[in-house]
Amino acid sequence: RMFGLAHRFPPVKRLTSVAAPVLRRLSYDIEQSCHLVIYYEGKGHVVVQQDSPSERVFSVRLGAEAPLMNTCSGHLLLAFADQVTRQRMLSRIPDNHPKADNDVDKMLKKVLTQGYENIRSAQAQGIQDIGYPVFDHLNETVAALIVPFFEYIDGSHPTSPSDAHIAIKQAALDISYALGYQKN
């Protein structure tokens, strides 16, 4: 029900309409699934999802929740939030989600310095989560674009993680520019 309500609000509706074709293009270009996560009430929520066109697919379902503390999307949403918003986000983490540890400041600094996050998935073996922030017309982070990247052991997949980074970064910028973002 909450997921349905969230999609009725114009900002989420605009985000999903702008992002859907970009995610479709990205998934076809890199042959990986991708999704967009927004922050709401102490956790991330997948609001747009695109499966890979490949026969082998690893994806996160539309509407899935993502903890803030041990996920690529959570790290991005926290790192690119202003200090006041970040503190509010941290204070609203549900009791059943992982809590902040002593390395939060280190993680935030790393993500901000890199401009992206790239971590091993805490939920699935063999998945490398690659993500970039998506900004709006106020230059505020509105979402995290995530690719749960996995390599094919038979060597049949033509896209390397470094090539994927380039495509994911461009897709995040394309969505951001469509939302009115102006790079400083």
Side-chain angles (χ1 to χ4, degrees):
R1 181 172 172 219
M2 187 61 87
F3 182 71
L5 286 172
H7 271 77
R8 290 191 194 136
F9 293 111
V12 174
K13 212 174 206 179
R14 177 158 162 65
L15 176 64
T16 59
S17 67
V18 164
V22 177
L23 294 188
R24 190 169 26 263
R25 183 184 72 231
L26 175 63
S27 71
Y28 275 79
D29 288 350
I30 65 173
E31 293 187 43
Q32 299 280 340
S33 299
C34 52
H35 56 277
L36 210 58
V37 179
I38 63 166
Y39 170 80
Y40 183 75
E41 293 298 315
K43 51 197 161 208
H45 295 269
V46 176
V47 293
V48 184
Q49 186 276 339
Q50 178 64 50
D51 281 340
S52 165
S54 174
E55 291 178 12
R56 294 166 261 176
V57 176
F58 180 86
S59 64
V60 177
R61 102 182 133 70
L62 189 62
E65 293 180 353
L68 295 179
M69 292 314 304
N70 68 349
T71 62
C72 185
S73 57
H75 289 183
L76 286 164
L77 293 170
L78 285 167
F80 286 94
D82 62 68
Q83 187 65 32
V84 171
T85 302
R86 183 181 306 121
Q87 289 308 314
R88 186 172 49 242
M89 292 166 76
L90 290 169
S91 73
R92 306 228 27 177
I93 294 174
D95 290 338
N96 63 339
H97 281 219
K99 298 292 187 218
D101 60 14
N102 296 335
D103 291 336
V104 172
D105 289 335
K106 184 178 175 184
M107 175 273 295
L108 295 172
K109 184 181 273 188
K110 180 191 84 154
V111 172
L112 286 170
T113 301
Q114 294 177 157
Y116 64 89
E117 179 62 302
N118 184 11
I119 58 174
R120 265 196 240 155
S121 173
Q123 290 78 29
Q125 183 82 24
I127 302 295
Q128 178 180 341
D129 289 330
I130 304 170
Y132 284 81
V134 173
F135 302 98
D136 67 5
H137 65 287
L138 299 173
N139 293 353
E140 294 177 355
T141 306
V142 293
L145 171 56
I146 309 299
V147 171
F149 189 92
F150 69 97
E151 296 188 63
Y152 294 65
I153 59 173
D154 65 1
S156 65
H157 190 268
T159 305
S160 69
S162 59
D163 289 340
H165 266 278
I166 294 166
I168 300 162
K169 180 180 183 178
Q170 187 58 55
L173 283 171
D174 290 347
I175 297 167
S176 297
Y177 291 144
L179 294 173
Y181 170 67
Q182 295 181 357
K183 196 171 187 177
N184 295 335

